[in-house]
Amino acid sequence: MSRFFEKLKDVKPKDILHIFLFIFALPIALVYRRFRKDLWLVCDNGVEATDNGFCFFEYVCKNHPEQDCVYAVYKTSVDYENVKKTGKTVKYGSFAHWILYLTAKVNISSQKGGKPNYAVCYLLEVYGILRNSRVFLQHGVILTNIDFLYYKNTKMSMFVTSTYREWEYVSNNYGYPEGTVKLLGLPRWDKLHDFKTVPNQILIMPTWRDWIGTDALSKSIEDDKKAFCESDYFKNWSKIINSKRLEEICEKYGCTVMFYPHRDMQRFIDCFSKSNPYLTICKYPEYTVQELMKSSAFMITDYSSVQIDFAYMKKPLAYFQFDYERFSEQHYGKGYFDYTEDGFGPVYNEEQGLMNYIEQMAKTSFANTEKYLNRHKAFFDLYDTENSKRNYEAVKERWP
């Protein structure tokens, strides 16, 4: 109970309104359930509709129109019109969203926080105040120890994994009841078998840092940006994108570079400047993760889960990990995946080695090597276009 009151502190004044929305929506939902007994409510993060939630929703609408299925998204989202054309929608975080959330036979999301209000719903779900059924499609493939995804912190009814090693790791370490963790594959992978690569396009896509999160710094955006510009993260990635050696490689081999930091780092995108004429600093929503990955020939990342999607397409990549120990201690703990032994490209912690490898790969027009293609074959147990289908069938079997 002490933990309950500790988590109650996470409910901010802006969340109080949602407590009342829940209270008023509950009796309506109890009646509404009589008319929509088989409702599936699907979402991602509310802002974007390009992740596993939407890909799953799209599959259901196209292949099983008889299934009552609604997708929650903000009307201000750049993807709203596309979602609306696909199927039924509800405004994310609205009173109607609360009603459907409480009505649904099953809530399905790629995000642990995919619900009308994360803080309020966390208290309702994890402490048994609200007993609903929830499917976690996941945002990526778990490689590390992510304790906030332990069963005690989610109480998810179904937890989707995508490789045998991930399934085994989560099953043995995250505390979920037997049969809860399923090996089904990410729905968005269905779209990674059909792509057109721009020759010699290099994608630099680092992930975020827990100690440089959007809520982790100061009170004002000006102070936040100042602190960000003093971080090792900013200094190291600025050094890479403005490397004179990288510019020379681009000029010699006809390469272009697309730099797209994680969405939680996009807040600081204007802090980055460029001297390389072959570099594009990519901003959301002008560019999307999926489009950039599908069009790029080679990726440089650090620990981002996008590495798995990129490797899934059998494309080569390299890791730049200048802060590995700190990341493992303060961001995500070490898991079963060793970047040196299991990774889909070599690991570097300094500029020179990385640039040497980029030039080596540029000489072959970024053709992947047998070493990393063999790792692909060993890692990806599921390599087909049946991921959404498997997820649909698993949900239908569990909640007929």
Side-chain angles (χ1 to χ4, degrees):
M1 186 58 70
S2 60
R3 182 172 172 80
F4 173 82
F5 288 107
E6 180 183 331
K7 284 296 180 180
L8 191 60
K9 296 178 183 177
D10 293 336
V11 179
K12 304 292 190 286
K14 64 180 181 180
D15 301 317
I16 300 299
L17 170 63
H18 285 275
I19 295 178
F20 289 101
L21 291 179
F22 161 68
I23 294 171
F24 290 126
L26 184 58
I28 299 175
L30 291 175
V31 175
Y32 203 35
R33 284 179 186 174
R34 300 180 182 180
F35 304 95
R36 303 186 74 168
K37 297 180 179 179
D38 195 29
L39 171 64
W40 293 2
L41 181 61
V42 186
C43 70
D44 288 300
N45 62 11
V47 179
E48 299 174 84
T50 56
D51 208 339
N52 294 307
F54 179 70
C55 293
F56 176 81
F57 175 72
E58 192 175 38
Y59 170 85
V60 174
C61 291
K62 181 179 179 180
N63 296 279
H64 300 279
E66 74 284 357
Q67 175 63 51
D68 187 4
C69 195
V70 179
Y71 186 88
V73 62
Y74 289 116
K75 288 191 175 181
T76 53
S77 168
V78 295
D79 300 312
Y80 176 74
E81 289 301 324
N82 185 42
V83 178
K84 190 176 180 181
K85 292 177 184 176
T86 303
K88 301 172 185 176
T89 67
V90 65
K91 182 181 177 182
Y92 194 97
S94 65
F95 184 56
H97 189 186
W98 268 108
I99 293 173
L100 295 185
Y101 181 74
L102 296 168
T103 297
K105 174 185 282 189
V106 57
N107 285 273
I108 305 167
S109 180
S110 64
Q111 306 292 324
K112 175 174 176 279
K115 49 200 74 179
N117 178 272
Y118 172 69
V120 175
C121 289
Y122 179 91
L123 294 175
L124 294 173
E125 296 163 352
V126 175
Y127 292 95
I129 300 170
L130 175 65
R131 298 183 183 278
N132 60 357
S133 299
R134 287 169 290 122
V135 173
F136 184 41
L137 296 177
Q138 280 216 69
H139 174 59
V141 173
I142 291 174
L143 305 176
T144 55
N145 181 34
I146 309 176
D147 57 6
F148 64 75
L149 291 181
Y150 287 2
Y151 179 69
K152 66 180 182 181
N153 296 324
T154 73
K155 300 296 175 69
M156 293 290 183
S157 311
M158 182 183 293
F159 192 115
V160 175
T161 59
S162 302
T163 72
Y164 177 78
R165 292 186 67 189
E166 181 193 23
W167 174 84
E168 182 179 46
Y169 181 70
V170 174
S171 296
N172 293 337
N173 295 281
Y174 279 37
Y176 285 84
E178 185 175 354
T180 301
V181 183
K182 303 289 187 180
L183 176 54
L184 304 171
L186 300 179
R188 68 170 183 259
W189 282 359
D190 290 342
K191 298 184 177 183
L192 296 184
H193 293 263
D194 181 20
F195 56 86
K196 186 176 182 180
T197 301
V198 176
N200 297 331
Q201 179 173 296
I202 300 170
L203 174 61
I204 301 179
M205 190 174 281
T207 192
W208 60 297
R209 297 295 189 275
D210 185 66
W211 59 94
I212 319 177
T214 54
D215 297 321
L217 299 176
S218 330
K219 297 180 179 179
S220 71
I221 183 62
E222 291 78 15
D223 288 342
D224 284 358
K225 285 185 175 180
K226 181 180 179 181
F228 177 77
C229 291
E230 294 173 353
S231 69
D232 287 341
Y233 179 96
F234 173 77
K235 292 175 182 177
N236 278 277
W237 286 112
S238 290
K239 187 177 180 181
I240 294 299
I241 66 175
N242 289 305
S243 167
K244 189 63 179 177
R245 178 83 183 282
L246 180 59
E247 181 180 339
E248 292 171 352
I249 293 171
C250 289
E251 184 174 359
K252 184 175 181 180
Y253 298 98
C255 300
T256 55
V257 182
M258 312 297 282
F259 178 60
Y260 188 97
H262 188 276
R263 68 170 179 243
D264 286 348
M265 296 289 98
Q266 286 276 323
R267 181 182 188 217
F268 306 109
I269 195 74
D270 292 334
C271 295
F272 291 97
S273 59
K274 69 166 190 170
S275 59
N276 185 345
Y278 303 100
L279 172 78
T280 300
I281 296 178
C282 305
K283 298 181 180 181
Y284 173 83
E286 184 179 355
Y287 295 90
T288 67
V289 173
Q290 286 77 11
E291 291 169 352
L292 287 170
M293 287 197 298
K294 291 173 76 170
S295 64
S296 296
F298 180 75
M299 171 185 277
I300 301 165
T301 188
D302 42 16
Y303 323 95
S304 177
S305 62
V306 297
Q307 62 169 295
I308 303 299
D309 290 53
F310 202 80
Y312 183 86
M313 293 183 281
K314 300 184 179 180
K315 296 181 179 184
L317 57 87
Y319 302 98
F320 181 52
Q321 299 179 344
F322 55 87
D323 58 353
Y324 178 74
E325 291 303 324
R326 185 178 185 185
F327 186 88
S328 298
E329 291 173 3
Q330 292 184 235
H331 195 95
Y332 293 146
K334 295 180 181 179
Y336 66 91
F337 189 86
D338 183 278
Y339 285 94
T340 301
E341 298 297 325
D342 305 312
F344 302 101
V347 180
Y348 300 97
N349 57 20
E350 45 79 32
E351 178 188 354
Q352 183 177 345
L354 176 61
M355 293 304 155
N356 288 341
Y357 187 70
I358 294 173
E359 182 160 19
Q360 175 187 327
M361 295 301 293
K363 290 178 181 178
T364 67
S365 298
F366 299 101
N368 209 346
T369 63
E370 184 177 358
K371 175 181 179 179
Y372 297 114
L373 288 174
N374 286 338
R375 288 190 183 182
H376 174 284
K377 186 176 181 180
F379 188 79
F380 293 104
D381 312 278
L382 304 174
Y383 187 70
D384 56 30
T385 57
E386 303 286 301
N387 299 285
S388 292
K389 180 181 179 182
R390 278 189 292 269
N391 277 269
Y392 168 81
E393 291 175 346
V395 175
K396 201 68 178 175
E397 180 181 359
R398 174 66 176 80
W399 293 278

